[in-house]
Amino acid sequence: MYWANFLHIYQPPTQTPEVLTKVVNESYRPLIRVLKKYKNAQITLNINATLTEQLYKNRFIDVIEDIGTLAQEGQIELTASAKFHPILPLIPSNEAKRQIELNNRTNKEYFKTAYQPKGFFPPEMCYSNGLVNLLEEFGFEWVIVDEIAFNGKIGEVSKKHIFEIKDSAGLKVYFKERKVSTAISYGQCSHKNELLALTQELQLSKGYLLTGTDGETYGHHW
C-alpha cells in the first residue's frame, strides 16, 4: 500500500494571536520537526495565504522558512487554493479567480521559488464542473476532492487508478478516502497499528491510500 498524506492548514483572518501561537506550537512546529527528522517522509501541503500572512505578522518566520526549505528539498509539495477559504462553487467565477490569484501572489511573495504548485485544493474540497476551465486557465495539473464527488457514494473509487476529469484537457483528479481520513480527524486512528488495522483490505490489494486532513489535527486537535 502506498500512502499519500495530504494536509491542509488554515486559520481564519480573524484568528487571535493567542490561538495562533497555540496552534503553531502544538501542530505546525512539531510537524516540521518530524519532517526534518525523517528525511524520507513526504507530504502534500496546502497553506492558505491568509495564514501565511498571519504567520509573518506574528513573527513565526521560522514556520514560513522551514516550510519553504522542506518544499525546496522535496519533502513538501505545496498546492494552490483560494486565499480566504471561500466555497468556490458558491461564489461568482470572477471572484473565484481573484481569490486564486491572491493566494498565488501572497504565497509566492513569502515562499519565493519554493511555491510552484501543480495541484489545487478547493476549500472544503467543494467541487463543481464549473471549476475545470478556471483551473486549466491557471495551468494546474490536478485537483483533490472528496470521494463522494466520484458518483455520490462512498467506497466506490478504485484505489488502483488515477482519474482524469471528463472533457478536460487532461486535468487529473485525486479522491480523498473518507473512512480513514475521518478516523484520523476524530482521533480514532492515533497509532500506526490502528492505521494498519483500518487498511488491511487495501494493503492486500496493493492499492494506494489518499488521506486528506487538517494539519491542525496533529498535535492541536488531538
Side-chain angles (χ1 to χ4, degrees), residues 1 21 41-42 45 52 60 103 107 111 119 121 127 160 162 167 171-172 175 183 193 219:
M1 179 184 74
T21 300
Q42 297 174 311
L45 177 72
T52 309
F60 297 120
N103 196 76
N107 275 344
F111 294 111
F121 168 76
Y127 171 82
K160 293 184 177 181
I162 294 174
D167 298 326
L171 184 66
K172 293 182 173 60
F175 296 97
N193 290 338

Side-chain angles (χ1 to χ4, degrees), residues 47-78:
I47 174 170
N48 286 81
T50 183
L51 172 57
T52 309
E53 287 181 332
Q54 290 177 71
L55 292 171
Y56 184 83
K57 178 181 177 181
N58 289 275
R59 300 183 180 180
F60 297 120
I61 310 300
D62 61 297
V63 176
I64 296 174
E65 291 179 344
D66 284 340
I67 289 175
T69 298
L70 289 166
Q72 292 278 24
E73 294 175 351
Q75 284 189 261
I76 287 179
E77 177 186 9
L78 290 170

Side-chain angles (χ1 to χ4, degrees), residues 17-115:
E18 293 77 16
V19 172
L20 179 62
T21 300
K22 184 176 175 66
V23 175
V24 166
N25 290 328
E26 292 179 350
S27 180
Y28 303 159
R29 282 172 172 161
L31 280 170
I32 288 168
R33 285 198 296 269
V34 168
L35 289 170
K36 285 183 173 181
K37 182 177 180 180
Y38 298 98
K39 288 298 183 179
N40 63 332
Q42 297 174 311
I43 63 169
T44 301
L45 177 72
N46 177 71
I47 174 170
N48 286 81
T50 183
L51 172 57
T52 309
E53 287 181 332
Q54 290 177 71
L55 292 171
Y56 184 83
K57 178 181 177 181
N58 289 275
R59 300 183 180 180
F60 297 120
I61 310 300
D62 61 297
V63 176
I64 296 174
E65 291 179 344
D66 284 340
I67 289 175
T69 298
L70 289 166
Q72 292 278 24
E73 294 175 351
Q75 284 189 261
I76 287 179
E77 177 186 9
L78 290 170
T79 66
S81 189
K83 182 171 182 177
F84 293 101
H85 206 269
I87 306 302
L88 294 179
L90 300 182
I91 63 176
S93 59
N94 61 337
E95 176 59 16
K97 181 177 181 179
R98 190 182 76 92
Q99 288 282 331
I100 297 170
E101 289 173 339
L102 287 172
N103 196 76
N104 281 342
R105 187 182 310 146
T106 301
N107 275 344
K108 284 179 181 177
E109 177 183 351
Y110 290 101
F111 294 111
K112 310 300 182 187
T113 57
Y115 183 75

Side-chain angles (χ1 to χ4, degrees), residues 142-163:
W142 59 266
V143 59
I144 182 171
V145 300
D146 187 274
E147 65 175 317
I148 200 168
F150 180 68
N151 66 356
K153 299 178 181 179
I154 302 298
E156 296 195 5
V157 179
S158 169
K159 304 300 192 300
K160 293 184 177 181
H161 298 87
I162 294 174
F163 297 87

